Amino acid sequence: MQYHIEGMDCASCIGKIETALARMPGVSDVQLNFATGSLTLSLSPEGATQAGDVEKTIKRLGFGISARNNQQTPSHSDTDNPPTVQRWWQTRKGKQVAGLGMLMAAAYVLALFFPAYGTWLFAAAVVVGVLPFARKAFALGMSGSPFSIETLMSVAALGALFIGEAEEAAAVVFLFSIGELLESVAADRARAGIRALASLVPKTAVLLDAQGGQREVAAASLRVNDRVLVRPGDRVSADGVIIHGSSSLDESPVTGESIPCAKTTGDTVFAGSINVDGVLEVRVEKTAADNTIARIIQLVEQAQVSKAPTARFIERFSRYYTPAVMALAALVVILPPLIMGGDWAIWLYRGLALLLIACPCALVLSTPAAIASGLAAGTRRGLLIKGGSALETIGQVKTIAFDKTGTLTEGKPRVTDVVAFAQPFTKQSDEEVLALFASVESGSNHPLAKAIVGHAEAANLLIPVASNAYATAGKAVHATVAGRALAIGSPVYAAQVATLSSTQQSQIEALQRDGKTVSVLFDEQSHEALGLVALRDEPRADAQAAVAQLKTMGVRSVMLTGDNHRTAQAIAGYLGVEWEAELLPEDKLRLINEMKLNAKIAMVGDGINDAPALATADVGIAMGGGTDVAIETADAALLKNSVTDVAHLVALSRATMANIHQNVIFALGLKGVFLITTVLGITGLWFAVLADTGATALVTLNALRLLRFKGKRNNNHS
């Protein structure tokens, strides 16, 4: 069963609903997400509980409930039928606060002229205001949650009314109602992030038929291999591949990258991206329920359901904390009058104030509010984090192990040097050699061959037509170009079949020391070496800066690669990282397990060949570009494929943990101060409510600060 729950204002609401459902026979697998308001549970067919009983129970607790279509994913049922978003003054709680406010104002005015009647109006305000809370407290008590804030507030307000403090009791109810309204507004703001994410995918798409005709259809109805038209200014309606056209696309909704990305035939596009200028024809590769935005929403929802270790500890702590403070309040009421002959009314008043201070709302909210804000801030930057546990752990890592290929480097070879051996050494001769290289390699699918041909095409060179092309496995490729029998091979093979001078050998060795792969072009008839091309999988543009940022944060970087020592040393020397080379997958696992003995370690890889290492590390981080493997393999995925995002991830985790610690200090500190001042008689019910409401507001506002997280600052502080 899938439901949408309305009216949850703080994380403690989850415990109330879960406790009530756990007492119902035949109900199991209850999962409630505070951030999205989604509830899933299993009902036993033979059980006494029916779907209607579940709905009645939740409504009795004071929450709204509506069933979801089981055929839809949670994220898409929200997208297709979004809940109505009301302004705060249009909500039930907003109207209650406004009504109580007017009643309080009238009571104050009446009390100025007719004090006796004013007291009765204050009493009426108490009864009207406390009735919804008392009803909810009774329902919660019957459902297994007797120590709720509603119970504490109802007892305190009615107790104050009983001892003749009608004005103060009315203020308690009014202030508490304002606090509930503030929590509701803050909770709705936290949920707005996911609603905004879901709204990024357009509702309609322009479908192309086999004859080229166009018709507008619902985006949710698109199927794999459908062809859709994306006009300038349109949002892409589905994940797919461009089959015709080229354009710039703003992918910031998906990757967080604000600069439009050039795309052409054969390139992948994401649902929700904005087409800037060209007209595109796109073949759909994923349905609406499986596109990138849907997967991001599902990931965020799952992450928010997953409780962080700190949150679990605080929930356990609050279960004992609330009854303990209630017992303390009872002792405050009973002991001083019995032992010291104190006034019963005074100590009853102080005990009632203690009940309000006992409210654990701010404490329980301190962690999930910060975690939810941290996850949302990360998602906006293209940092997908699978749950509060991963978010907590990332900031604690002392060592980050990086895979080389595709992580610290681009993952594809690029031509770095073209050298013509023929005299004179002119630019023209270099271009001629490159054209001959491209001609011989034009029939090969090898990555190095593709890089050489692509480099020549980018330079707008005229590539001669080759004939009689063939390859000698592991040695060379051969072809006839303009009547000459040419071959391209490794320096070792070229030295065996052609003449290389000492100068040419020195040039080759110098390039190899820089970690470059060298190919030599030679004439098979004259045995003359004509030139060389050097290629290297170049470091990502931001890799060096990322390593430097991590170093300032006290995080050690280590490069683990299966590549040869010479290449690894060249790349690591440029980036300034420690390194281990020529590693098999089991070697990487061994090294990670060894490093885990001393401190927490994160592994950053491409999410495919590094899956075992990602799983073994304390935190696995995938350089994903939004791929399925990247999102599903690791604890976090970096959608922008930016190495500096690793530093941003550590900074976000540390900022979130600092926020949680601040929230706990706010919550416990305020309660501790007012606990003492209330027992001493310095503060009363007013301040008790302000302590609770103030702590909740401070915790919520402090957590919302994380939404403004911009990333790691370029200074020496984390």
Side-chain angles (χ1 to χ4, degrees), residues 32 41 45 63 83 98 133 163 193 214 249 270 273 283 324 344 495 499 545 548 585 612 621 634 655 677:
L32 186 55
L41 56 87
F63 302 101
F133 299 116
I163 61 175
Q214 304 176 11
L249 279 94
F270 301 120
S273 302
R283 184 180 69 248
W344 281 97
T499 304
I621 303 170
T677 56

Side-chain angles (χ1 to χ4, degrees), residues 331-348:
L331 292 175
V332 166
V333 172
I334 296 168
L335 291 182
L338 288 179
I339 296 173
M340 299 181 292
D343 189 303
W344 281 97
I346 291 174
W347 288 101
L348 176 60

Side-chain angles (χ1 to χ4, degrees), residues 110 204 238 525 597 664 684:
L110 193 61
T204 61
Q525 293 170 326
L597 296 175
V664 171

Side-chain angles (χ1 to χ4, degrees), residues 165 168 172 332 345-357 669-692:
E165 298 287 350
E168 203 157 355
V172 164
V332 166
I346 291 174
W347 288 101
L348 176 60
Y349 178 87
R350 293 178 184 177
L352 292 173
L354 274 182
L355 284 182
L356 293 176
I357 292 169
L670 272 175
K671 288 183 186 300
V673 168
F674 283 99
L675 199 70
I676 295 167
T677 56
T678 299
V679 172
L680 296 176
I682 300 170
T683 55
L685 290 175
W686 285 65
F687 284 97
V689 178
L690 284 173
D692 172 57

Side-chain angles (χ1 to χ4, degrees), residues 403-571:
D403 174 50
K404 180 181 76 72
T405 306
T407 302
L408 289 174
T409 65
E410 295 286 353
K412 48 190 175 184
R414 297 181 184 276
V415 174
T416 58
D417 302 86
V418 179
V419 178
F421 291 152
Q423 296 293 338
F425 292 105
T426 63
K427 181 180 179 182
Q428 184 63 35
S429 62
D430 286 349
E431 290 180 348
E432 287 174 355
V433 164
L434 178 58
L436 291 174
F437 261 100
S439 177
V440 175
E441 296 279 25
S442 58
S444 174
N445 281 322
H446 193 280
L448 296 181
K450 287 183 176 180
I452 291 170
V453 173
H455 190 70
E457 289 174 347
N460 295 318
L461 298 183
L462 180 63
I463 301 174
V465 178
S467 59
N468 304 322
Y470 67 97
T472 304
K475 293 184 178 180
V477 289
H478 314 263
T480 302
V481 182
R484 299 172 71 186
L486 302 179
I488 298 171
S490 68
V492 174
Y493 179 72
Q496 293 171 357
V497 298
T499 304
L500 290 174
S501 68
S502 58
T503 304
Q504 292 165 354
Q505 287 281 17
S506 298
Q507 285 178 300
I508 291 168
E509 289 169 8
L511 292 168
Q512 288 178 327
R513 279 195 297 274
D514 287 337
K516 297 174 181 178
T517 300
V518 178
S519 295
V520 178
L521 173 71
F522 54 91
D523 189 313
E524 292 192 284
Q525 293 170 326
S526 66
H527 304 290
E528 177 191 5
L530 304 178
L532 65 80
V533 164
L535 304 97
R536 188 170 72 174
D537 181 10
E538 290 291 270
R540 290 184 184 273
D542 64 337
Q544 193 177 41
V547 170
Q549 286 182 11
L550 288 169
K551 189 174 182 180
T552 66
M553 301 169 79
V555 179
R556 167 183 169 232
S557 298
V558 181
M559 184 179 78
L560 306 180
T561 179
D563 213 337
N564 63 74
H565 280 86
R566 184 180 285 166
T567 301
Q569 186 174 23
I571 298 290

